[in-house]
Amino acid sequence: MKNIFLLFVSAIFISSCSLDREPETTLSDRDFWRSEADLRGACNRLYIDLPGFLTGRGHDMRSEELVGTTPDNISSGNRSIPETDADWTDPYNKIGVCNNIIAKGAHIDIAEGTKNRWLAEAHFFRAFYYFDLVKKYGDVPLILKVFTNTSDPEIKKGRDPRETVIQQCYTDLDFAAQWLPDVDQTSNDWGRVSQSAALGMIVRIGLFEGTYSKYHKLTGGDSRSHLKRSIDAAEAMFKANKHSLYPSFQNLFYFDGEGRKNKENVFVKVYGPNGISNAITWHNQSASKATQATITRQMIDNFLYMDGLPRLQSAHYKEDIKMDDIFDQRDPRLKMTVFAYKDISFKDAEYLPFDNVNHAGFGYPIKKGYMKEEYDSDSKETVDKMIIRYAEVLISYAEALYEYNGKIDNTELEATVNTIRNRSGFTTKLTNEFVSTHGLNMLDEIRRERIVEFIDENIHYDDIIRWKTAENVLPQALLGLLFNAAESAKTDKELNYRFTDASGVYNGVKVYDQPNIYVIETAAGRRFNPQRDYLYPVPTYEISTSNGNIEQNPNWK
């Protein structure tokens, strides 16, 4: 662990940045903390390091949601214990910057409210990164101080219980929600965190911890108290009435959905010129969509038909469905998420199955968020990256209510699930009567809504981890496009005959209920150990330099 916390010492110096410049590493720390401008400038560093479209996990391949050109080691269960890992070190380095701002900023001689407004940003980001660590590693060392020398015994401290760390996240976010400005007050300083962002993080953390604790049967915490935290934070956002869904689901992810004019934005990473830096940041999102990731058939099958029923229950389903039929009578979000065989809404974007060697993994090409040349070059690559959007608050509220109460009434469904559906033109309502009549499970339907709404938004892996369903969905074969020889420039021989037969069988194993479905990865090459893989392995360097205080996660050897 020593290498991480030595970086905390260096963070004392790198957090000093002005409004318009990168950090000044030559500025003496003791001469810096004197004014509100200094405090604001130090906080700017926190925004520069936020994960974006192509940083962190631009396309999250860890679940069965997306595939790339090669199998993902986490999704396939083929990872090993690393010596060092940025998933551990990067959050701690950023937490070190937060700790430095909180410790040094507290002594600046300015009005208390002004000071707390900026300290609240550091408290927010400290919670943001500690939650990231807990999701991956469970128990982690909780460090709330600045190290000034290498002899401090806490440098080698052991792991604190996840419940302790999460409670600190709540404490930090409560402080942030109290002192951060209203979201409307950030309009001229777009991208900085607001009260809404703090509440949105509590919604997310409370739901994650409440369901993780429940389904993993954790001791040392109360799942219901976490769920109540999520519910209360969501209701505080409703009462504030600062957010609403953007009118168009499809345009939400393009240039139209940018800035504070989009009331669905709760927490974003800003691209382009903004109040944090005068430099223009580009993300090249349009090119990445077609060449880096595609969507699996497993995800496609989660989209309901317009009668509100799942694929195999709907009267609209055809056993001989073809590539250009999968959109017929389907939840409109499907066509807004995936390119059709011939998609007339985007010129020159007609994807033929298997025609493009860059067609990552032979899944379904992602249309959602694809930015075309119709937008001028100064705008198409600077659309903000939504980290929390209001639709997540709505669907998280519905799920937390059901988990907390064991039920959800139709009024609550109308305000959450059905409001989200209506935005995209999916008018069939989810009600208790509909679920009962058709033999559905309400929790499954709420979860399904979450799956289809947030494809390729870095949410699904965390969901299957907290639901404890990863052990069921990850060891299965990953499936892709339907092969139609009349539409493909490649032959089945060129594609190594990787297709299901007339009975849905591939290599002697039944993997689907249709023929000619491309098998991206077989189940034989995929595994998930539920006694091990719900947590990441701790890097060996952190264990070896902690004097034995840090232990490895269970069953990682």
Side-chain angles (χ1 to χ4, degrees):
M1 189 187 295
K2 183 190 296 182
N3 68 321
I4 298 168
F5 295 123
L6 284 177
L7 288 173
F8 275 19
V9 179
S10 67
I12 296 172
F13 302 100
I14 68 169
S15 66
S16 308
C17 61
S18 70
L19 179 62
D20 300 325
R21 293 180 295 175
E22 287 295 304
E24 294 272 12
T25 56
T26 59
L27 184 62
S28 172
D29 188 64
R30 66 176 177 272
D31 296 328
F32 177 73
W33 304 94
R34 294 182 173 181
S35 69
E36 180 185 0
D38 293 340
L39 193 50
R40 174 191 171 109
C43 290
N44 288 347
R45 176 77 254 175
L46 304 172
Y47 295 92
I48 295 169
D49 291 335
L50 266 176
F53 282 110
L54 300 178
T55 57
R57 295 194 177 274
H59 296 289
D60 191 350
M61 314 272 191
R62 293 175 295 171
S63 71
E64 83 287 15
E65 178 184 44
L66 303 176
V67 292
T69 54
T70 58
D72 182 87
N73 287 336
I74 295 177
S75 175
S76 63
N78 291 306
R79 58 181 159 173
S80 56
I81 303 174
E83 180 181 2
T84 61
D85 194 341
D87 282 315
W88 178 284
T89 57
D90 283 359
Y92 271 118
N93 291 338
K94 293 164 186 173
I95 288 165
V97 174
C98 295
N99 287 341
N100 193 57
I101 293 170
I102 292 167
K104 302 298 176 60
H107 300 293
I108 297 178
D109 187 17
I110 57 176
E112 195 72 12
T114 302
K115 182 190 305 183
N116 287 344
R117 179 260 177 275
W118 298 107
L119 295 180
E121 292 197 0
H123 281 278
F124 173 91
F125 281 98
R126 184 164 70 179
F128 181 83
Y129 289 112
Y130 264 125
F131 177 51
D132 184 55
L133 285 165
V134 168
K135 285 189 298 181
K136 293 170 181 173
Y137 297 100
D139 300 346
V140 294
L142 179 62
I143 305 296
L144 303 176
K145 62 187 289 187
V146 176
F147 294 105
T148 57
N149 63 76
T150 58
S151 63
D152 192 314
E154 282 200 55
I155 289 179
K156 298 178 184 287
K157 75 170 291 188
R159 301 162 75 179
D160 291 281
R162 68 182 294 150
E163 179 70 13
T164 301
V165 181
I166 291 298
Q167 290 300 326
Q168 180 60 48
C169 290
Y170 290 145
T171 298
D172 280 340
L173 292 169
D174 286 342
F175 182 88
Q178 178 182 357
W179 291 104
L180 285 174
D182 178 275
V183 66
D184 287 331
Q185 295 174 294
T186 68
S187 295
N188 295 324
D189 200 7
W190 179 243
R192 304 203 86 97
V193 291
S194 65
Q195 294 171 357
S196 295
L199 291 171
M201 276 303 301
I202 295 174
V203 172
R204 180 180 284 184
I205 293 173
L207 179 62
F208 187 97
E209 283 301 297
T211 51
Y212 190 98
S213 177
K214 176 179 178 178
Y215 293 108
H216 290 262
K217 297 180 171 56
L218 297 186
T219 58
D222 178 4
S223 65
R224 287 179 56 80
S225 69
H226 291 295
L227 292 169
K228 189 65 165 59
R229 271 283 197 167
S230 183
I231 291 168
D232 289 347
E235 290 178 349
M237 292 185 71
F238 303 155
K239 184 177 180 180
N241 196 29
K242 295 294 180 179
H243 295 277
S244 59
L245 296 183
Y246 192 73
S248 167
F249 176 79
Q250 183 164 308
N251 290 345
L252 171 66
F253 303 94
Y254 308 139
F255 182 63
D256 287 350
E258 192 173 29
R260 179 60 190 133
K261 65 183 179 183
N262 176 4
K263 300 295 185 181
E264 190 159 347
N265 284 330
V266 174
F267 177 36
V268 303
K269 178 180 175 67
V270 172
Y271 285 83
N274 54 73
I276 298 165
S277 171
N278 283 338
I280 294 179
T281 303
W282 307 84
H283 53 62
N284 198 30
Q285 173 73 339
S286 56
S288 74
K289 284 291 184 184
T291 61
Q292 291 190 350
T294 52
I295 302 170
T296 65
R297 195 169 189 89
Q298 279 94 325
M299 289 297 105
I300 300 299
D301 286 349
N302 279 295
F303 285 86
L304 297 169
Y305 281 84
M306 288 299 286
D307 57 11
L309 293 174
R311 170 176 163 268
L312 295 180
Q313 287 181 246
S314 175
H316 296 300
Y317 174 65
K318 306 179 183 72
E319 286 296 333
D320 62 343
I321 196 166
K322 288 184 167 64
M323 173 67 183
D324 53 358
D325 288 332
I326 66 167
F327 304 98
D328 185 40
Q329 294 296 316
R330 214 70 176 265
D331 180 339
R333 284 172 295 186
L334 178 55
K335 187 128 190 233
M336 300 173 190
T337 302
V338 174
F339 277 110
Y341 165 53
K342 288 193 174 182
D343 195 320
I344 61 173
S345 62
F346 283 93
K347 62 181 181 181
D348 303 324
E350 299 177 0
Y351 281 80
L352 297 176
F354 310 107
D355 279 3
N356 191 335
V357 294
N358 291 323
H359 195 153
F362 298 123
Y364 290 82
I366 303 169
K367 178 179 179 180
K368 178 182 180 182
Y370 189 97
M371 296 159 202
K372 289 295 293 175
E373 290 80 1
E374 289 93 313
Y375 303 122
D376 64 80
S377 60
D378 290 332
S379 65
K380 69 174 184 175
E381 306 292 0
T382 59
V383 178
D384 299 338
K385 165 74 171 181
M386 289 176 288
I387 299 174
I388 301 176
R389 60 185 176 95
Y390 189 58
E392 182 191 343
V393 175
L394 293 180
I395 197 64
S396 294
Y397 180 65
E399 184 181 347
L401 281 175
Y402 189 87
E403 292 283 10
Y404 187 79
N405 297 318
K407 61 182 180 180
I408 183 171
D409 66 40
N410 289 342
T411 302
E412 292 162 337
L413 287 168
E414 185 64 24
T416 55
V417 173
N418 293 327
T419 296
I420 293 172
R421 287 185 178 185
N422 288 339
R423 185 255 297 274
S424 64
F426 187 19
T427 56
T428 304
K429 296 182 183 297
L430 179 65
T431 65
N432 284 281
E433 293 76 16
F434 186 90
V435 165
S436 177
T437 298
H438 296 284
L440 302 175
N441 178 282
M442 180 61 79
L443 182 58
D444 288 345
E445 295 310 304
I446 293 172
R447 289 179 175 181
R448 186 200 305 277
E449 195 69 27
R450 187 178 180 91
I451 290 171
V452 301
E453 175 74 15
F454 298 104
I455 284 178
D456 195 26
E457 295 188 51
N458 294 1
I459 285 179
H460 185 62
Y461 177 78
D462 290 343
D463 285 344
I464 64 173
I465 293 299
R466 65 185 178 86
W467 294 336
K468 206 175 183 294
T469 59
E471 62 202 72
N472 301 321
V473 299
L474 292 188
Q476 306 301 317
L478 291 186
L479 307 176
L481 290 163
L482 173 76
F483 176 69
N484 187 329
E487 297 171 351
S488 180
K490 295 186 178 182
T491 67
D492 52 358
K493 181 179 180 180
E494 289 175 308
L495 294 164
N496 299 316
Y497 302 104
R498 296 179 66 91
F499 309 105
T500 56
D501 66 16
S503 300
V505 172
Y506 177 73
N507 278 356
V509 179
K510 187 173 180 63
V511 296
Y512 204 60
D513 60 352
Q514 286 181 225
N516 297 322
I517 299 298
Y518 190 81
V519 180
I520 300 169
E521 296 178 33
T522 65
R526 299 176 59 79
R527 58 189 62 85
F528 188 92
N529 180 351
Q531 280 72 51
R532 181 193 73 176
D533 291 333
Y534 279 107
L535 295 174
Y536 280 33
V538 178
T540 57
Y541 186 85
E542 310 307 328
I543 296 172
S544 64
T545 57
S546 71
N547 288 346
N549 292 322
I550 293 181
E551 298 180 356
Q552 185 55 270
N553 272 327
N555 299 306
W556 283 100
K557 296 181 180 179

